[in-house]
Amino acid sequence: MMSNSTTYTRNGAAERETFQNFFECWIVDQNQHLHELVSASKEHEQNQIDQEAEQRNLRSLLESVVKHYELYYRAKSRWAKNDVLSMFNPSWTSSLEDAFMWIGGWRPSMAFHLLYSKSGQQFEARLSDLIQGLTTGDLGDLSPTQLEQVNSLQKETIREEKEISEKLAVQQETVADASMVELSHAVTELMREGEVEQVMDEERVDETLAPKEQGLVAILQKADDLRLNTLKKVVFDILSPIQGVYFLIAAAELHLRFHEWGKKRDARHN
């Protein structure tokens, strides 16, 4: 079955719509994927199918869910080229989400905090089995090799985060460069002289701001690439298929509920 967001992006009218429309379709699909992931985890816990068939099914499901994230970032990249500022100040997120946002999205290193949190919960829930030497196969049963891989990827991700943050800081400082100072002074002088028609001509303003916005597009792309690559490395390179399912369940639950809570708080406060 074709998803809402896939149908939406293939529609010829999609480019004329807003990213908010796309996001609303995408998040409906994410909720559907969450149900599929939970169903797969329950089948695993009940040993309803043979192991070989289960592994195939889980890998197929993981690929489908990750492709859904890829769809999101492809669409975001396309829209950002036309309106990058909306990606830094999105109308489709809540004030709560905005407060914890890093360059237009979630901070990549949060993936590791999520993994450790869920791993700790599952470890405690099945501690008696682990003490008896029984393997649970979930995130509470990460091997020493997996923990080492997680630690290595976390360090690499944090380093890349810092590099991108530094690039953003440099780009933000261009707001006070010579071209901006000169333009703001020139426009202010025209306003003092009452030449409103010339002030209303925004062509020069757009020309001056264009390279600054283009710089933001490049930085946003780097940030989104890091987000997606981190997710894929955790799911496909480090975790087993069933562990990947548990991780993506936790990620979807956190995103959907955080979005929901934020929207409700905004509605209440407004």
Side-chain angles (χ1 to χ4, degrees):
M1 181 181 295
M2 187 175 291
S3 67
N4 291 329
S5 51
T6 302
T7 302
Y8 182 80
T9 54
R10 289 178 180 175
N11 189 305
E15 293 295 342
R16 296 194 296 273
E17 299 293 340
T18 66
F19 187 81
Q20 181 167 349
N21 296 141
F22 167 81
F23 177 78
E24 289 171 355
C25 291
W26 186 89
I27 206 168
V28 169
D29 290 338
Q30 185 183 38
N31 193 52
Q32 177 58 38
H33 281 140
L34 174 58
H35 289 302
E36 295 171 6
L37 289 163
V38 170
S39 177
S41 71
K42 291 187 181 302
E43 287 183 359
H44 170 77
E45 292 167 2
Q46 296 168 5
N47 295 315
Q48 292 184 352
I49 57 177
D50 68 86
Q51 189 172 8
E52 187 176 339
E54 181 190 49
Q55 293 300 304
R56 286 198 305 270
N57 293 343
L58 291 179
R59 289 192 185 95
S60 177
L61 178 57
L62 292 174
E63 289 171 1
S64 177
V65 174
V66 171
K67 282 182 180 178
H68 187 238
Y69 281 100
E70 291 175 339
L71 171 66
Y72 172 82
Y73 288 115
R74 282 200 307 271
K76 186 178 177 184
S77 176
R78 186 174 67 250
W79 262 287
K81 292 174 183 175
N82 296 322
D83 185 15
V84 68
L85 299 183
S86 67
M87 298 299 165
F88 281 83
N89 185 31
S91 60
W92 50 91
T93 58
S94 63
S95 301
L96 178 64
E97 292 168 286
D98 293 345
F100 292 90
M101 195 171 286
W102 176 80
I103 311 183
W106 54 278
R107 184 176 285 274
S109 56
M110 284 178 60
F112 305 102
H113 294 284
L114 174 65
L115 177 58
Y116 288 134
S117 294
K118 193 64 179 180
S119 176
Q121 289 176 0
Q122 292 189 324
F123 178 84
E124 291 178 5
R126 303 188 180 182
L127 182 58
S128 60
D129 290 337
L130 292 169
I131 290 176
Q132 296 176 43
L134 301 175
T135 58
T136 60
D138 58 18
L139 293 174
D141 196 19
L142 293 173
S143 70
T145 299
Q146 285 178 308
L147 290 171
E148 185 178 336
Q149 290 174 315
V150 171
N151 183 56
S152 177
L153 181 58
Q154 182 177 17
K155 290 179 179 178
E156 177 187 337
T157 302
I158 291 174
R159 178 184 58 77
E160 292 188 51
E161 271 184 10
K162 290 180 178 178
E163 290 178 358
I164 297 172
S165 293
E166 289 171 0
K167 288 180 184 297
L168 178 61
V170 171
Q171 187 65 21
Q172 289 172 329
E173 289 169 358
T174 65
V175 171
D177 66 12
S179 65
M180 290 293 289
V181 173
E182 178 186 356
L183 180 60
S184 62
H185 174 69
V187 171
T188 303
E189 287 297 302
L190 288 172
M191 292 175 67
R192 288 197 188 102
E193 295 168 7
E195 299 186 33
V196 179
E197 290 185 4
Q198 292 186 49
V199 174
M200 295 300 290
D201 180 8
E202 304 207 351
E203 183 176 349
R204 186 181 173 190
V205 175
D206 291 341
E207 289 178 353
T208 304
L209 291 175
K212 294 161 182 25
E213 293 185 15
Q214 290 168 5
L216 291 177
V217 171
I219 291 168
L220 178 64
Q221 186 65 59
K222 287 181 180 295
D224 283 343
D225 286 346
L226 182 57
R227 280 185 266 267
L228 182 58
N229 289 336
T230 300
L231 176 70
K232 292 168 76 171
K233 288 177 181 178
V234 169
V235 172
F236 295 127
D237 296 351
I238 298 177
L239 302 179
S240 69
I242 188 58
Q243 288 173 335
V245 166
Y246 285 121
F247 176 77
L248 290 175
I249 287 173
E253 288 177 341
L254 180 60
H255 178 236
L256 290 167
R257 299 293 78 78
F258 204 64
H259 178 70
E260 178 184 296
W261 298 334
K263 287 294 186 180
K264 287 182 178 179
R265 287 168 64 92
D266 283 351
R268 188 166 68 244
H269 293 162
N270 293 334

